[in-house]
């Protein structure tokens, strides 16, 4: 029997550590719980929010609806070929626990995504990425329950329409699917991706010349720990903005004016810029306004030093967006989901 909890403080449920009260909250510990919730009609017509690890959400007000907290667990092998293994993980697993499981089983593919905060089920929604790898690179399929029809649905990679920190679950199907498991195709033969500069340097610093999957994971963890704030200590949701994509002409103009600006040409001819660099060069790095601030080591990460409200964070974000637009003529789009 599912229990609907009332008037729940969401501060422990979001890595930003923002206070907000949910009118109702239900914990989903199995697929059966999810089916029961849909069948009960409990939330029909009610505002609802599917919450995993709460690592990419910013609450700007109390939530006058039902928060569905996904907590199911389990990781197992589904099938094997000579070179690859399909691994299915429950949506409620902690993302980094899954990465460690794959590393400990010698399965390659997710090691560059070590230590990303959040749950497995939230991974495909954002198409999480780091150090030259995105979740979509190893994604096989996922299973979800349609919260409107109650039907089970499987999604292939194509059906998820993955983009840069983007998927169909942030667009047409926003709030409609309760993802309960995700399946990855992992490699028995390690194909390490070390192209991202900092990884090689970190491996050198570790005196590793023939890296294993575990070494790469360790290197990524230590880079992240050195640059990014630990949400258990300082509230944050990782990168607050997406890295903006501009036309080649615009990038060329900026390069003329700021020769040291980092630019990442994309396969379609557009150019990705580093939002962290733009924000730092507007003078925001380390800035603090009561308990809302910009991390002193990574300008793309907004932080809550304790009692900032979601509106404090949004107000600071707006000032950053305005100054980047004014100085560089570039619009920054939020990566974090505002609730
Ligand atoms: N930079 C600065 N100042 C800063 C931050 C960055 O000049 O304060 C420069 C760096 O020197 C570098 C460039 O900007 O030249 C890129 O910085 P970095 O390698 O730290 O990565 P990022 O573009 O800021 C992205 C992802 C991160 C991911 C890292 C590493 C986005 C929005 N963010 O950040 O993902 O961990 O690359 O791959 O794409 C997340 O999405 O939450 C996240 C943390």
């Amino acid at each position: 029997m599912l229990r609907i909890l009332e008037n729940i403080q969401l501060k422990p449920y979001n890595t930003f550590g923002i206070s907000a009260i949910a009118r109702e909250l239900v914990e989903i510990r199995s697929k059966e719980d999810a089916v029961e919730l849909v069948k009960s009609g409990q939330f029909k017509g009610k505002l609802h929010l599917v919450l995993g690890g709460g690592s990419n959400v910013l609450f700007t007000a109390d939530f006058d609806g039902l928060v569905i907290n996904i907590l199911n667990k389990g990781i197992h092998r589904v099938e094997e070929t000579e070179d690859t293994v399909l691994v299915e993980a429950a949506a409620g697993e902690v993302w980094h626990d899954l990465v460690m499981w794959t590393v400990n089983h010698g399965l390659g593919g997710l090691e560059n995504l070590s230590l990303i905060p959040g749950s497995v089920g939230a991974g495909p929604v954002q198409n999480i990425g780091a150090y030259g790898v995105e979740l979509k690179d190893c994604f096989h399929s996922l299973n979800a329950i349609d919260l409107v029809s109650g039907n089970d649905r499987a999604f292939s990679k194509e059906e998820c329409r993955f983009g840069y920190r983007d998927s169909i679950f942030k667009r047409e199907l926003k709030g409609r699917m309760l993802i309960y498991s995700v399946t990855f195709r992992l490699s028995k033969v390690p194909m390490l991706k070390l192209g991202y500069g900092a990884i090689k340097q970190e491996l050198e610093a570790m005196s590793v010349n023939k890296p294993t999957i575990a070494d790469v994971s360790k290197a990524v963890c230590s880079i992240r720990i050195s640059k990014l704030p630990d949400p258990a200590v300082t509230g944050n949701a990782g990168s607050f903005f997406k890295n903006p994509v501009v036309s080649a002409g615009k990038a060329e103009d900026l390069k003329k004016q700021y020769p040291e600006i980092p630019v990442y040409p994309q396969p379609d001819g557009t150019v990705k810029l580093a939002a962290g660099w733009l924000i730092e060069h507007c003078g925001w790095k380390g800035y603090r306004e009561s308990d809302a601030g910009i991390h002193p080591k990574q300008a793309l990460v907004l932080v809550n030093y304790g009692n900032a409200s979601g509106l404090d964070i949004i107000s600071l974000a707006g000032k950053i967006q305005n100054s980047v637009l004014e100085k560089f003529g570039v619009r920054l789009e939020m990566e974090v989901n505002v609730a």
Side-chain angles (χ1 to χ4, degrees):
M1 205 23 208
L2 283 176
R3 261 183 67 212
I4 308 269
L5 309 169
E6 287 179 13
N7 297 322
I8 298 297
Q9 171 57 260
L10 293 172
K11 198 174 169 93
Y13 291 89
N14 70 99
T15 61
F16 241 127
I18 301 286
S19 286
I21 305 292
R23 186 147 63 86
E24 293 180 334
L25 183 143
V26 64
E27 295 180 344
I28 299 294
R29 296 185 184 275
S30 64
K31 183 188 164 190
E32 291 67 35
D33 281 356
V35 172
E36 188 185 329
L37 177 70
V38 178
K39 282 206 177 132
S40 73
Q42 291 263 23
F43 77 104
K44 276 242 162 81
K46 272 188 204 167
L47 188 63
H48 66 273
L49 176 75
V50 179
L51 194 67
S55 62
N56 209 46
V57 62
L58 178 66
F59 289 105
T60 51
D62 288 340
F63 190 76
D64 190 24
L66 175 67
V67 171
I68 305 171
N69 191 202
I70 310 294
L71 295 168
N72 60 334
K73 300 281 180 213
I75 304 173
H76 67 276
R77 287 170 189 248
V78 180
E79 74 181 46
E80 252 176 77
T81 66
E82 203 176 314
D83 302 332
T84 67
V85 179
L86 282 190
V87 171
E88 182 178 18
E93 285 283 347
V94 171
W95 174 262
H96 183 64
D97 292 349
L98 167 66
V99 175
M100 285 298 98
W101 188 98
T102 62
V103 168
N104 292 335
H105 286 77
L107 299 174
L110 301 182
E111 59 278 4
N112 292 40
L113 305 181
S114 296
L115 222 52
I116 294 186
S119 63
V120 166
V125 178
Q126 282 295 113
N127 182 24
I128 54 173
Y131 306 102
V133 173
E134 285 184 339
L135 172 136
K136 74 166 169 45
D137 302 338
C138 291
F139 179 89
H140 175 268
S141 57
L142 65 77
N143 291 302
I145 292 174
D146 183 332
L147 288 170
V148 174
S149 68
N151 293 337
D152 232 310
R153 266 193 74 176
F155 286 81
S156 67
K157 191 178 196 164
E158 289 66 35
E159 286 170 324
C160 291
R161 287 208 245 125
F162 291 122
Y164 167 54
R165 296 294 188 278
D166 199 21
S167 74
I168 193 165
F169 309 107
K170 283 180 91 172
R171 295 177 178 271
E172 293 93 312
L173 297 182
K174 190 171 177 181
R176 172 141 179 192
M177 293 291 153
L178 190 155
I179 296 170
Y180 64 86
S181 76
V182 187
T183 302
F184 299 89
R185 186 174 291 286
L186 302 168
S187 175
K188 291 185 193 173
V189 196
M191 286 184 289
L192 304 180
K193 289 207 179 142
L194 310 176
Y196 205 94
I199 293 191
K200 274 193 198 138
Q201 286 158 22
E202 191 62 36
L203 288 168
E204 271 166 33
M206 287 160 56
S207 312
V208 172
N209 10 336
K210 278 200 187 149
T212 61
I213 299 168
D215 293 325
V216 175
S217 171
K218 255 186 225 147
V220 168
C221 288
S222 64
I223 301 167
R224 290 189 75 98
I225 289 166
S226 72
K227 282 216 282 198
L228 298 169
D230 177 356
V233 180
T234 311
N236 77 91
S239 299
F240 193 88
F241 300 103
K242 288 184 182 183
N243 281 329
V245 175
V246 299
S247 68
K250 172 72 187 173
E252 229 169 86
D253 290 348
L254 286 170
K255 195 86 194 164
K256 269 187 210 138
Q257 232 184 319
Y258 308 97
E260 72 293 0
I261 190 172
V263 291
Y264 309 98
Q266 301 297 296
D268 64 358
T270 59
V271 176
K272 200 186 261 186
L273 305 174
W277 189 95
L278 300 173
I279 297 169
E280 178 173 350
H281 286 79
C282 286
W284 290 106
K285 203 169 183 171
Y287 176 84
R288 178 170 175 172
E289 212 171 72
S290 66
D291 269 358
I294 292 115
H295 188 53
K297 293 186 194 159
Q298 225 301 7
L300 195 44
V301 180
L302 269 62
V303 291
N304 171 12
Y305 286 108
N307 290 313
S309 69
L311 291 176
D312 294 337
I313 303 279
I314 286 283
S315 144
L316 179 56
K319 290 178 193 169
I320 295 171
Q321 282 170 317
N322 287 342
S323 77
V324 168
L325 183 60
E326 209 169 288
K327 186 172 167 82
F328 298 107
V330 174
R331 259 173 227 287
L332 292 185
E333 195 189 316
M334 284 195 254
E335 194 210 293
V336 168
N337 300 306
V338 177

